[in-house]
Amino acid sequence: MKKFFASLYDLTSFSFRFFKEGAVPPYEIGEFAGHLENFGSRSLPLVSAIGLLMGLILALQTKPTFERFGAESFLPAMVAISVVRELGPVITALIVAGRVSGGIGAEIASMKVTEQIDALEVSSVDPYRYLVVPRVLAGIFALPLLTAYADLLSIIGAFIVMYVTGDMGWQLFTTSTLHSLSIADVVPGIAKTFVFGFIIAIVGSYFGFRAKGGTEGVGKAATSAVVFASFLVIVTDLVLVKIGILIFE
Amino acid sequence: MIEITRLVKSFGSLNVLKGMEMRVEKGEIFSILGKSGSGKSVTLKCIVGLVVPDAGDIVVDSVRVDADDRKSLAAVRKKIGYLFQGGALYDSMTILDNLIFNLSRHRKMQRSEAADRSRHYLSLVGLKESLNKLPSELSGGMKKRAALARALVIEPEILLCDEPTTGLDPITSREISELIGSLHQQFHVTAIVVTHDILCAGILSDRAGVLDDGMLKYTGSIKELAAIQDEEVAGYFKSPLQ
Ligand SMILES: Nc1ncnc2c1ncn2[C@@H]1O[C@H](COP(=O)(O)OP(=O)(O)O)[C@@H](O)[C@H]1O
Ligand SMILES: [Mg+2]
């Protein structure tokens, strides 16, 4: 437990360094682009599949209940709101945490244990600026895009259910979806994905930098990164939901 | 010139260096012999500020190495080529890019100029054919050569080599030692070579010292060391066939 809080403290100061180091040149544009692509290519297939399934399941599962109250016409609204506000951002973040946080952890850890990070430092390259900053920026950019994409697929999933069961056409579905979504749903939903992107990349980097020993240390860093990033995503979400309610309602 | 005085370093309860003293003159090659775990790598890392000592002074060409003083540390690092024990080649880059990266970060230099110089150094260590290979595609000996080229490409005044021949077959390890020796003759670098390969030390160094129990004991020429009766030292000179 004491170790946990010590890590949390370390992680916090590690995170704050981002705002200090990220602002100063040289900017590693090439690195940033590479890592952005990495976020996309590593998580896109899974995000696509789960996004679509999320919409299908949500619609299938709630349809009977809505029907019981004669409220099928509200189903698109319900799916859109729950996906955009909550499920889309959190589930996307958890998927990416699993795919990318561990990847970043392993990458940096293996550089650490094979002295590549020492080599950077001796070449007057700041390892934090070179390795961490571009990854974190990539995370901050990638998560909103991935989430918006997952949201869209979920809504399409829900439409498929409505269409196949013959309850609703495309026109009606889209208007009722669009009408149901307000700024108070969309803004907090997307805003928190920036935070999730930050968490995923910074936690991966942190455990990478802390790695010790040989290949064993690399595996440990990857696992710890996934566990800790997922946990922090959920806890942060709780806090952000509360803040969102305070601001928008 | 590199001068180390009363260097102390512990990791937790493990006292690695206990007041080590060392002096390496300009243009000299100095070998540090010592058992594995005796603190040889730690000593080299203290010189470039990768490890911060608990006490003691390190002076490189009249600049004191101080991890808190970014400017002087950067100045010291600019002079130093460092060959890491495991090579530490960047595994996401080709061999050529490893050198170009190092060079363009160390010295403000155009990419094309850096590429030309990198190619030159890679051919110097006999890797002309492998420029575009990734480190994972190279054998152990080739990795050491590539890492050596990466250390040399910045044309350092000081070369620190951490076990340049460990883990290599006797023929390759002799080649690497001779390579370092001939590069030394060409460029007159000051070098510290950490090794437990007496052949390597013998080929290369003017003087050597034995690191034992946190101190540098028995400093002298290889011939002088060979005459010492102490088990600790004599062990390095025993031929496996005797
Ligand atoms: N960063 C570190 N943290 C803890 N212990 C270390 C660290 N670096 C080195 N050591 C320990 O210091 C001792 C000397 O290490 P080292 O200098 O690498 O030995 P060698 O002479 O084989 O190069 C070893 O026991 C090693 O475990
Ligand atoms: Mg060592």
Side-chain angles (χ1 to χ4, degrees), chain A residues 9-80:
Chain A
Y9 175 79
D10 267 3
L11 176 60
T12 312
S13 49
F14 189 84
S15 307
F16 274 115
R17 260 183 86 185
F18 171 77
F19 299 100
K20 215 174 75 200
E21 310 271 1
V24 202
Y27 304 110
E28 307 283 353
I29 311 281
E31 288 297 302
F32 166 74
H35 294 305
L36 192 60
E37 197 198 322
N38 214 352
F39 262 89
S41 63
R42 273 193 198 159
S43 41
L44 213 51
L46 205 55
V47 168
S48 311
I50 295 199
L52 193 66
L53 284 171
M54 192 159 66
L56 287 172
I57 293 168
L58 213 55
L60 278 176
Q61 215 211 346
T62 49
K63 203 161 168 290
T65 320
F66 275 78
E67 274 169 356
R68 197 146 24 106
F69 298 106
E72 295 105 309
S73 59
F74 289 112
L75 196 141
M78 189 282 296
V79 170

Side-chain angles (χ1 to χ4, degrees), chain B:
Chain B
M1 190 194 68
I2 301 165
E3 190 168 24
I4 296 180
T5 35
R6 287 190 295 280
L7 191 66
V8 177
K9 178 69 193 175
S10 306
F11 295 103
S13 59
L14 178 71
N15 304 317
V16 180
L17 300 177
K18 306 175 184 170
M20 182 197 180
E21 311 258 341
M22 187 172 86
R23 193 186 157 93
V24 180
E25 301 299 336
K26 202 165 187 66
E28 182 186 34
I29 299 193
F30 187 89
S31 289
I32 302 178
L33 303 168
K35 283 187 287 205
S36 130
S38 57
K40 305 182 297 295
S41 298
V42 169
T43 306
L44 288 191
K45 285 185 179 176
C46 285
I47 296 175
V48 286
L50 285 172
V51 168
V52 182
D54 301 332
D57 282 307
I58 300 171
V59 176
V60 176
D61 290 344
S62 68
V63 179
R64 191 171 171 275
V65 178
D66 177 356
D68 294 327
D69 181 356
R70 289 262 138 212
K71 258 218 177 98
S72 71
L73 190 60
V76 168
R77 285 175 176 174
K78 269 206 171 13
K79 294 185 180 185
I80 295 181
Y82 198 122
L83 172 59
F84 284 88
Q85 193 165 343
L89 294 166
Y90 306 123
D91 49 24
S92 59
M93 299 179 199
T94 64
I95 299 307
L96 181 62
D97 283 338
N98 261 276
L99 269 72
I100 294 176
F101 179 84
N102 202 23
L103 192 52
S104 55
R105 296 294 171 135
H106 243 287
R107 314 257 183 270
K108 302 257 173 294
M109 190 182 271
Q110 288 294 320
R111 198 184 150 87
S112 61
E113 196 188 344
D116 286 343
R117 210 208 277 182
S118 300
R119 280 201 194 86
H120 170 69
Y121 275 90
L122 282 168
S123 65
L124 218 58
V125 298
L127 285 176
K128 213 164 40 187
E129 315 296 318
S130 315
L131 298 179
N132 294 316
K133 287 196 173 143
L134 290 171
S136 57
E137 297 166 322
L138 300 185
S139 70
M142 289 160 92
K143 271 186 201 156
K144 280 273 159 76
R145 284 167 197 270
L148 183 60
R150 189 180 68 178
L152 289 169
V153 76
I154 60 166
E155 301 185 341
E157 291 168 43
I158 296 167
L159 182 62
L160 305 180
C161 294
D162 198 345
E163 307 203 7
T165 63
T166 304
L168 302 178
D169 61 90
I171 297 169
T172 313
S173 90
R174 175 183 274 272
E175 277 173 14
I176 298 255
S177 307
E178 284 169 351
L179 181 61
I180 296 176
S182 78
L183 292 169
H184 172 252
Q185 292 210 320
Q186 267 183 59
F187 301 115
H188 311 290
V189 289
T190 310
I192 301 178
V193 178
V194 159
T195 185
H196 34 228
D197 174 2
I198 196 68
L199 187 69
C200 168
I203 290 173
L204 281 174
S205 47
D206 306 307
R207 289 187 309 135
V210 179
L211 185 58
D212 182 37
D213 194 27
M215 308 273 268
L216 203 60
K217 296 183 178 160
Y218 309 113
T219 311
S221 72
I222 296 288
K223 270 212 187 92
E224 285 164 355
L225 289 181
I228 291 172
Q229 293 302 316
D230 188 325
E231 252 321 286
E232 240 0 282
V233 182
Y236 293 100
F237 294 90
K238 267 194 197 129
S239 152
L241 300 177
Q242 268 168 12

Side-chain angles (χ1 to χ4, degrees), chain A residues 58 75-89 151 181:
Chain A
L58 213 55
L75 196 141
M78 189 282 296
V79 170
I81 291 174
S82 41
V83 164
V84 168
R85 282 190 88 141
E86 204 40 47
L87 289 174
D151 289 354
L181 285 175

